[in-house]
Amino acid sequence: MSDKKTPLPALILGAIGVVYGDIGTSVLYAIKEVFGHGHVPFTPENVYGILSMIFWTLTIIVSFKYVLLVLRADNEGEGGLVAMLALASRAVADKPRLRKVLLVIGIFGTSLFYGDGVITPAISVLSAVEGLEVISPVLHPYILPVTLVVLFALFAVQKRGTAGIGRYFGPVTLTWFLALAALGVWQILGHPEILRAISPAYALRFILDNPGTSFVLLGAMVLTVTGAEALYADLGHFGRRPIRLAWYLVVMPSLTLNYFGQGALLLEMPEAVKNPFYRMAPEWALVPLVLLATAATVIASQALITGAFSVTRQVIQLGYLPRLTVQHTSVRTAGQIYIPFVNWGLFVAIVLAVLMFRNSSSLAAAYGIAVTLDMLITTILTFFVIRYAWKYPLVLCVSATGFFLVVDAFFFASNLLKLGDGGWFPIFIGGSVFVLMMTWKQGRHLVAEAQRKEAIDLRSFLDAVFVSPPARVEGTAVFLTATPGLVPNALLHNLKHNKVLHDANLFVTMRQHEVPWVPMSRRVEIEPLGRHCWEITVHYGFKNDIDLPRDLEQVRQRGCQLDDMATSYFLSRDIVIPTEGTGMAPWREKLFAQMYHNAGHAADYLHLPTNAVVELGGKVEI
């Protein structure tokens, strides 16, 4: 969450660096893609119409939808599609069928984030490095190698954390936006009349005169709002006001001036359409501009990679992905994490995208379907939040979201035309992640059901054990159990093989909640079972750091025995056996069994001391 003690100007600068890096680099390729494929005859009237469409796309989707409406839907100060999903699902908790549908829609939207996360860094970095060709055509063969080197360096430094370089994100990105504005003003001075395109009349006239072309062009217009979702996703880091002020004071004016400057240049030099952004600059500024653009795209990609780490951890804690190795890269900031599997998985997919599509124009053809579908899902979830969580009147809710739903639907429908030109690629990635998420969630449910069928009531079991108690040894045993009130398999195996019981026994269940944070004051519930046995529930939100030994420290104050040096943690390490039956399809059961087998070690995930962990295994048939 944003630090309330941080001065507002510092928060605004931070928001410029992290939130708006992605949308700030769209000027590199958006205008080029709109005019570059011959869809629009090159006339002054059409230039005015296109610029007006770009301005009002930014205004409607970013200024109105995200900045004014969606930013209001915070989940205890947190934003992003996962937070929105949790908020919407809690709001309809009394409607189980609707809740289930919303969960599936929201998880699909979250999966699409990974598809977007592959295309966006690829197109951003590649379009920046393509400035080499503007400096000299001789440098064209070096564009792909330089792009791959930049991307490799970006992903290789992730394990070191971004705390050291993060302080430069804001100043560098602010410099980028000032450069955008300056370049735009320089060109607009030659054709100040271009500013008339701010009027929506030009956009309306173009749409009415060219309805079919306008629909097709929406697929390119969406390039101007790349990264709009980051406005909402980073709400918890900076707060609503700094994000809004950064947009209205710096980002929106700079983007508008640059787009209109590119339009003014095209009126003067139609042949500049091959790369209007770099053609705006004088020759002496080309090299520093390429370097600044590359830095800006790296920062934009860094924000997306960090977001992928954060979203993955949230999804794991909501139970839709198996445990993965999560490394903390900062001792001061809990949110600074590194997930090796996600990092290198993204890198491989991005390199594949760069090598497959080879230039920013081809990547632009692949971009749009995933992001517009995400925008559509955000609008749908927003309706359920303002209707069922905020209890606003139905007419107001429909009017507030209905307009944006229609706009999003048109953008999505237009981008579907790109499906055969590469749009399938991010959809394939997002769809694959969705299958993994739903398979894991359903598989965990099947495992829990199978274990519940054979489970024994804990209280009854303890009563029977203490009729003729086994030998008791010094120390405390912590047994992890998925379902409270049932005997953990690890306890049964321990009694069967070791024939002893510890002096103190804690039966611990972890509960994940659809809220970002559970405060320490509500973290632990404890219920005495007698004979130095306790049943404990530990509560976590999807953004809380999980550290079981730290949180169990609270039980000492409630009469429970816990000595760090004499505590053993007993975990069940089950093997899943797929069987024919009423569970999932055979291939999904085999996939789940493999995911279950390769899941990260529970001891690492829970931050348990490695020399105090005892694993006892068994088999579970699903």
Side-chain angles (χ1 to χ4, degrees):
M1 300 176 70
S2 60
D3 186 352
K4 294 181 180 178
K5 295 181 180 179
T6 305
L8 182 61
L11 288 172
I12 293 174
L13 184 63
I16 290 172
V18 175
V19 178
Y20 294 110
D22 199 356
I23 198 169
T25 57
S26 59
V27 295
L28 288 164
Y29 45 81
I31 289 280
K32 177 175 68 173
E33 295 309 315
V34 170
F35 282 107
H37 296 288
H39 294 306
V40 185
F42 204 89
T43 65
E45 292 78 14
N46 287 345
V47 171
Y48 276 74
I50 293 297
L51 289 179
S52 186
M53 285 180 68
I54 289 174
F55 176 80
W56 286 100
T57 296
L58 287 169
T59 300
I60 291 171
I61 291 181
V62 184
S63 296
F64 293 165
K65 177 184 172 181
Y66 281 97
V67 176
L68 290 183
L69 176 63
V70 175
L71 277 182
R72 289 174 50 82
D74 67 283
N75 190 339
E76 298 184 15
E78 294 296 323
L81 199 55
V82 174
M84 173 81 81
L85 170 60
L87 198 61
S89 66
R90 289 207 319 274
V92 296
D94 58 335
K95 301 174 176 61
R97 287 188 178 179
L98 176 59
R99 181 177 181 275
K100 188 174 182 179
V101 170
L102 289 183
L103 282 170
V104 171
I105 291 173
I107 290 299
F108 182 62
T110 304
S111 304
L112 291 173
F113 170 83
Y114 294 92
D116 181 30
V118 169
I119 295 295
T120 301
I123 190 174
S124 297
V125 176
L126 191 53
S127 60
V129 177
E130 282 174 347
L132 292 174
E133 190 173 18
V134 178
I135 296 172
S136 172
V138 178
L139 297 176
H140 175 78
Y142 298 98
I143 291 175
L144 279 181
V146 170
T147 299
L148 295 177
V149 168
V150 170
L151 287 169
F152 176 76
L154 173 63
F155 282 90
V157 301
Q158 293 304 311
K159 62 182 177 182
R160 302 178 183 273
T162 58
I165 60 173
R167 65 174 68 98
Y168 301 110
F169 285 5
V172 170
T173 310
L174 178 60
T175 303
W176 169 251
F177 279 115
L178 294 177
L180 296 186
L183 288 172
V185 169
W186 176 255
Q187 297 295 331
I188 290 171
L189 288 175
H191 291 275
E193 69 277 6
I194 198 73
L195 293 175
R196 294 203 303 264
I198 289 177
S199 168
Y202 289 94
L204 291 173
R205 187 178 307 144
F206 180 87
I207 292 170
L208 292 174
D209 291 345
N210 310 275
T213 301
S214 299
F215 178 73
V216 173
L217 281 180
L218 291 179
M221 286 291 165
V222 76
L223 295 170
T224 63
V225 292
T226 57
E229 287 279 343
L231 279 150
Y232 183 43
D234 290 308
L235 176 61
H237 293 290
F238 302 102
R240 188 180 297 128
R241 190 177 179 215
I243 290 175
R244 284 176 171 168
L245 288 175
W247 173 254
Y248 289 123
L249 296 179
V250 177
V251 181
M252 179 65 172
S254 299
L255 292 176
T256 301
L257 288 171
N258 194 269
Y259 281 125
F260 278 58
Q262 291 187 47
L265 172 69
L266 293 177
L267 290 177
E268 184 76 26
M269 297 172 52
E271 65 274 13
V273 73
K274 290 183 178 179
N275 204 322
F277 175 78
Y278 282 115
R279 296 293 182 188
M280 295 172 74
E283 277 194 40
W284 61 265
L286 275 177
V287 173
L289 188 60
V290 170
L291 294 175
L292 181 59
T294 303
T297 55
V298 165
I299 290 172
S301 301
Q302 174 61 63
L304 195 144
I305 295 166
T306 303
F309 295 157
S310 178
V311 166
T312 301
R313 186 176 72 163
Q314 293 172 28
V315 171
I316 289 171
Q317 293 185 197
L318 283 175
Y320 284 92
L321 279 178
R323 294 181 301 269
L324 297 173
T325 300
V326 177
Q327 300 173 8
H328 290 262
T329 59
S330 172
V331 295
R332 294 183 178 180
T333 308
Q336 291 277 341
I337 60 173
Y338 168 67
I339 304 179
F341 181 83
V342 174
N343 185 69
W344 294 111
L346 269 179
F347 173 72
V348 169
I350 290 170
V351 168
L352 188 62
V354 170
L355 295 178
M356 280 177 58
F357 295 101
R358 306 191 70 80
N359 59 68
S360 60
S361 292
S362 298
L363 278 166
Y367 183 86
I369 296 181
V371 73
T372 51
L373 191 51
D374 248 354
M375 290 178 176
L376 194 62
I377 289 170
T378 298
T379 303
I380 292 169
L381 293 179
T382 302
F383 168 81
F384 287 98
V385 170
I386 64 177
R387 175 69 180 124
Y388 293 101
W390 299 350
K391 309 295 184 184
Y392 283 4
L394 180 61
V395 174
L396 179 61
C397 296
V398 171
S399 59
T401 59
F403 172 72
F404 297 120
L405 190 70
V406 172
V407 172
D408 292 338
F410 269 104
F411 272 97
F412 174 60
S414 175
N415 278 276
L416 282 177
L417 299 175
K418 300 179 179 181
L419 197 61
D421 295 326
W424 59 269
F425 186 67
I427 291 293
F428 172 76
I429 293 172
S432 300
V433 174
F434 177 71
V435 169
L436 291 175
M437 286 185 178
M438 298 309 294
T439 298
W440 180 256
K441 186 70 171 180
Q442 191 173 349
R444 289 289 295 170
H445 175 73
L446 292 174
V447 167
E449 286 294 313
Q451 291 176 334
R452 197 174 291 116
K453 288 178 182 177
E454 300 178 359
I456 306 168
D457 177 69
L458 179 60
R459 288 180 180 270
S460 303
F461 179 79
L462 291 177
D463 289 339
V465 166
F466 283 108
V467 169
S468 179
R472 301 194 76 163
V473 295
E474 293 183 0
T476 301
V478 177
F479 295 95
L480 275 296
T481 174
T483 307
L486 300 180
V487 179
N489 284 336
L491 174 60
L492 295 174
H493 291 307
N494 187 47
L495 286 172
K496 177 181 178 181
H497 297 291
N498 299 325
K499 298 178 176 58
V500 296
L501 206 60
H502 284 69
D503 277 342
N505 297 276
L506 280 58
F507 303 97
V508 178
T509 302
M510 292 171 48
R511 284 197 61 195
Q512 306 286 357
H513 296 271
E514 294 175 353
V515 295
W517 312 96
V518 174
M520 292 300 291
S521 59
R522 301 205 306 268
R523 183 67 54 84
V524 176
E525 290 181 12
I526 181 169
E527 183 179 352
L529 299 175
R531 307 178 187 92
H532 297 289
C533 297
W534 293 267
E535 193 169 27
I536 296 170
T537 304
V538 187
H539 302 273
Y540 291 104
F542 58 77
K543 295 203 75 172
N544 281 126
D545 280 323
I546 294 178
D547 189 332
L548 192 61
R550 175 201 64 196
D551 296 325
L552 287 179
E553 289 288 327
Q554 295 188 39
V555 304
R556 290 180 180 175
Q557 305 162 11
R558 308 187 196 181
C560 182
Q561 300 175 26
L562 189 66
D563 181 357
D564 292 340
M565 300 302 295
T567 298
S568 299
Y569 296 88
F570 289 83
L571 308 179
S572 296
R573 185 74 172 184
D574 299 315
I575 300 173
V576 173
I577 309 296
T579 59
E580 295 290 335
T582 57
M584 297 183 288
W587 69 269
R588 289 185 68 198
E589 289 192 356
K590 291 178 182 177
L591 173 62
F592 171 75
Q594 194 63 39
M595 293 171 71
Y596 196 90
H597 175 72
N598 292 324
H601 204 284
D604 295 332
Y605 181 69
L606 301 174
H607 284 82
L608 304 182
T610 53
N611 60 350
V613 175
V614 180
E615 285 193 326
L616 298 167
K619 293 183 178 180
V620 180
E621 293 186 355
I622 60 171

